[in-house]
């Protein structure tokens, strides 16, 4: 019987040959049957693929950008393998396929579909490189196409996971392989029932790690990052931010909802449901303890500050005052659900409702339309939110100033949030 264990590595951890050598050393020290490595695209490859997709959709030339991306991967391989190694032709083949797809007009009829067929190449290539390198340096392991494992619906760019089917495939395909060797696979990609490639949303590789962790009944999932663990504020903004040694699932889920970027928001829920601990550790200092997210109950009351941007505030003022008193809430929830809004925060008073949502690629008119019949609608975009959890007096004073142009304040003894217009630099 093997005890599966999932490690996830993001783009920054494999951005060049030296980084891959570091990761390989880290993994080798922890080498065990049952180990699944979930890997993102190298460096900023996914951003560059998005650019290529954009150019191709606009029927513009993309040869230079494609060549640059190929050269980047070839350089990476040159730092790891001797000339003439089979990996070079493998990478070339992937790029040839990529080129062909980018030039296939029939794929472009639906932009989201086109995107999904192309964007995962970063992961397909990076996992080949890492797997070959591990094998080459004495640690045999198996390359696995994640699309055989992660089954989804056909929603483009943000597919929903079919858990039952995914678990079945993991048990049938992955477990027998893990009984022989550790496995290297891609984050971010899956397949729908028609066999087409789907994706789980940007930064979705963390989620893949959780999906595989749950499907395999893993003992733990570890996300290896360039930070020491989960901190109580962004270290770029707060030099004296402190690391949590442990964090409850609920608290971690809340932090991602308020905008903390350390882990993908969808990652926590499935792990919490199955009681699988999530470690966030540093690939720069792998011996350090990092943060463990698990079922710990109440966390220590440390002030936490989180920023979130790209929010839209929709101010609704009721037209017919006889509706005040409940019905207008229902109306808003129903309409928001239909419009697929991701609600961040709601504040209500008498005839007014302020709904803050994550921005969507829609015009103001499109956003307002479902509500006009019942409300006067006013929309503000490009807003920011700062959340202070377990606030101290000093913190409240400070952030009230940061949020100088504040449109909304929400306050409980445990939490203060301001929605404001960020200063334009
Ligand atoms: N490579 C994908 C992205 O950059 C997925 C991930 O890294 O999690 O969004
Ligand atoms: Mg990435």
């Amino acid at each position: 019987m093997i005890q599966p264990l999932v490690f996830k590595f993001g783009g920054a951890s494999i951005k060049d040959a030296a980084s891959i050598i570091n990761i390989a050393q880290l993994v080798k020290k922890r080498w065990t049957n049952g180990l699944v490595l979930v890997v993102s695209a190298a460096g900023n490859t996914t951003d560059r693929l998005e650019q290529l997709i954009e150019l191709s959709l606009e029927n513009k030339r993309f040869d230079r950008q494609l060549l640059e991306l190929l050269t980047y991967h070839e350089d990476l391989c040159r730092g790891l393998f001797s000339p003439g190694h089979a990996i070079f032709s493998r990478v070339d083949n992937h790029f040839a396929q990529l080129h062909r797809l980018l030039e296939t007009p029939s794929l472009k009829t639906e932009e989201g579909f086109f995107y999904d067929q192309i964007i995962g190449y970063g992961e397909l290539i990076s996992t080949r490189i890492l797997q070959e390198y591990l094998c080459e340096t004495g640690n045999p392991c198996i390359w696995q196409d994640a699309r055989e494992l992660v089954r989804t619906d056909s929603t483009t760019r943000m597919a929903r996971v079919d858990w039952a089917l995914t678990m079945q495939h993991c048990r049938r395909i992955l477990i027998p392989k893990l009984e022989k060797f550790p496995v290297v696979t891609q984050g971010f990609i899956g397949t729908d029932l028609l066999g087409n490639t789907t994706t789980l949303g940007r930064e979705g590789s963390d989620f893949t790690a959780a999906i595989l962790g749950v499907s395999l009944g893993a003992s733990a999932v570890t996300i290896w990052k360039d930070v020491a663990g989960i901190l109580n504020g962004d270290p770029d903004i707060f030099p004296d931010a402190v690391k949590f040694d442990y964090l409850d699932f609920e608290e971690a889920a809340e932090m991602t909802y308020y905008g903390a970027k350390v882990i993908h928001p969808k990652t926590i829920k499935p792990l919490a449901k199955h009681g699988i601990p999530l470690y966030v550790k540093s690939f720069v200092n792998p011996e350090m303890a990092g943060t463990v997210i698990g079922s710990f109950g109440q966390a220590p009351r440390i002030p936490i500050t989180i920023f979130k941007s790209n929010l839209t505030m929709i101010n609704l003022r009721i037209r017919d005052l006889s509706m005040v008193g409940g019905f207008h809430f229902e109306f808003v929830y129903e309409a928001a659900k239909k419009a697929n809004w991701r609600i961040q925060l709601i504040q209500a008073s008498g005839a007014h409702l302020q709904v803050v949502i994550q921005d969507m690629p829609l015009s103001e008119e499109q956003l307002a339309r479902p509500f006009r019949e019942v409300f006067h609608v006013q929309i503000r975009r490009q807003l920011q939110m700062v959340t202070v959890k377990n606030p101290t007096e000093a913190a409240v004073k400070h952030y009230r100033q940061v949020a100088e142009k504040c449109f909304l304040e929400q306050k409980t003894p445990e939490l203060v949030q301001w929605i404001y217009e960020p200063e334009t630099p």
Side-chain angles (χ1 to χ4, degrees):
M1 268 290 278
I2 47 154
Q3 184 51 271
L5 189 63
V6 180
F7 283 180
K8 183 261 169 172
F9 294 100
S13 70
I14 51 162
K15 64 176 192 303
D16 50 28
S19 308
I20 293 183
I21 293 168
N22 172 53
I23 293 308
Q25 276 163 354
L26 180 167
V27 174
K28 285 174 188 190
K29 278 199 187 152
R30 293 156 181 84
W31 201 249
T32 159
N33 270 16
L35 183 63
V36 180
L37 307 179
V38 174
V39 182
S40 298
N44 63 354
T45 298
T46 309
D47 293 334
R48 291 160 77 166
L49 286 168
E50 281 192 351
Q51 230 182 41
L52 285 164
I53 291 168
E54 193 97 337
L55 288 169
S56 166
L57 283 170
E58 291 166 4
N59 293 317
K60 293 191 179 141
R61 295 193 70 108
F62 52 76
D63 312 20
R64 182 176 57 79
Q65 288 83 347
L66 188 64
L67 185 64
E68 278 169 9
L69 195 55
L70 170 63
T71 309
Y72 164 67
H73 282 89
E74 281 175 343
D75 285 346
L76 212 152
C77 291
R78 268 192 280 275
L80 298 171
F81 303 93
S82 43
H85 189 281
I87 190 73
F88 289 98
S89 52
R90 225 188 239 297
V91 169
D92 279 352
N93 280 342
H94 274 302
F95 271 89
Q97 280 172 26
L98 182 59
H99 198 165
R100 211 169 324 116
L101 290 176
L102 282 163
E103 283 185 335
T104 309
S106 61
L107 290 178
K108 295 188 200 172
T109 42
E110 215 269 276
E111 288 187 12
F113 179 80
F114 184 61
Y115 179 93
D116 281 351
Q117 305 321 301
I118 287 166
I119 198 75
Y121 268 80
E123 272 76 7
L124 292 171
I125 297 167
S126 69
T127 46
R128 283 286 182 199
I129 295 173
L130 182 64
Q131 184 248 351
E132 284 282 356
Y133 183 69
L134 286 168
C135 290
E136 186 82 9
T137 52
N139 288 68
C141 51
I142 300 172
W143 185 87
Q144 170 66 49
D145 191 326
R147 293 171 295 186
E148 290 180 19
L149 308 172
V150 179
R151 313 310 290 243
T152 69
D153 72 359
S154 302
T155 312
T156 57
R157 295 174 197 259
M158 190 69 78
R160 265 188 284 259
V161 176
D162 181 333
W163 285 91
L165 214 51
T166 300
M167 285 188 188
Q168 233 180 57
H169 285 272
C170 282
R171 259 180 248 129
R172 193 170 53 78
I173 299 170
L174 200 46
I175 299 266
K177 288 184 180 167
L178 285 172
E179 279 166 356
K180 298 198 186 81
F181 293 109
V183 163
V184 180
T185 193
Q186 308 79 40
F188 187 43
I189 53 175
T191 328
D192 68 6
L193 287 174
L194 301 169
N196 293 316
T197 304
T198 54
T199 56
L200 303 173
R202 283 302 307 265
E203 306 303 328
S205 295
D206 290 359
F207 186 34
T208 304
I211 296 168
L212 298 184
V214 165
S215 300
L216 293 168
S219 54
V221 171
T222 305
I223 296 183
W224 295 92
K225 308 271 307 179
D226 57 359
V227 288
I230 297 192
L231 309 181
N232 70 334
D234 181 341
D236 290 340
I237 308 172
F238 310 98
D240 51 0
V242 292
K243 175 179 78 70
F244 290 99
D245 294 333
Y246 62 92
L247 204 56
D248 191 71
F249 282 125
E250 190 180 315
E251 184 120 18
E254 270 184 9
M255 284 172 72
T256 63
Y257 177 59
Y258 299 144
K261 291 192 190 69
V262 197
I263 21 186
H264 187 275
K266 285 188 188 162
T267 311
I268 313 265
K269 201 170 121 194
L271 294 174
K273 191 172 154 204
H274 292 85
I276 298 172
L278 174 64
Y279 290 80
V280 179
K281 284 176 62 109
S282 157
F283 60 75
V284 186
N285 293 303
E287 307 305 332
M288 272 173 44
T291 300
V292 195
I293 304 170
S295 303
F296 297 112
Q298 192 82 52
R301 286 182 54 88
I302 300 172
I304 302 171
T305 310
I306 304 165
F307 289 90
K308 187 165 188 172
S309 24
N310 297 325
L311 297 170
T312 292
M313 184 158 99
I314 301 169
N315 288 310
L316 302 170
R317 184 161 56 83
I318 211 154
R319 288 181 191 272
D320 173 359
L321 289 181
S322 70
M323 272 178 78
V324 176
F327 170 75
H328 62 306
F329 280 119
E330 277 168 45
F331 183 89
V332 170
Y333 282 122
E334 278 306 312
K337 205 167 137 193
K338 255 193 232 144
N340 240 334
W341 283 1
R342 300 239 218 121
I343 295 182
Q344 185 67 49
L345 194 146
I346 293 186
Q347 183 142 297
S349 57
H352 293 260
L353 265 176
Q354 289 167 303
V355 186
V356 179
I357 63 168
Q358 293 176 28
D359 199 18
M360 302 177 79
L362 297 176
S363 70
E364 286 196 7
E365 183 43 39
Q366 284 170 317
L367 283 169
R369 198 176 302 137
F371 300 89
R372 284 221 196 280
E373 194 189 322
V374 178
F375 299 97
H376 299 282
V377 186
Q378 188 206 19
I379 289 177
R380 288 182 204 277
R381 304 192 90 158
Q382 289 301 322
L383 301 181
Q384 227 164 45
M385 174 174 80
V386 54
T387 299
V388 186
K389 214 180 160 200
N390 304 322
T392 59
E393 242 175 71
V396 170
K397 210 167 143 203
H398 176 73
Y399 290 107
R400 184 62 190 86
Q401 275 165 11
V402 171
E404 194 195 345
K405 284 192 197 154
C406 171
F407 297 115
L408 193 161
E409 176 179 89
Q410 233 174 44
K411 219 171 185 173
T412 69
E414 289 83 35
L415 196 77
V416 192
Q417 295 185 300
W418 293 279
I419 302 287
Y420 61 100
E421 194 170 81
E423 259 182 49
T424 37

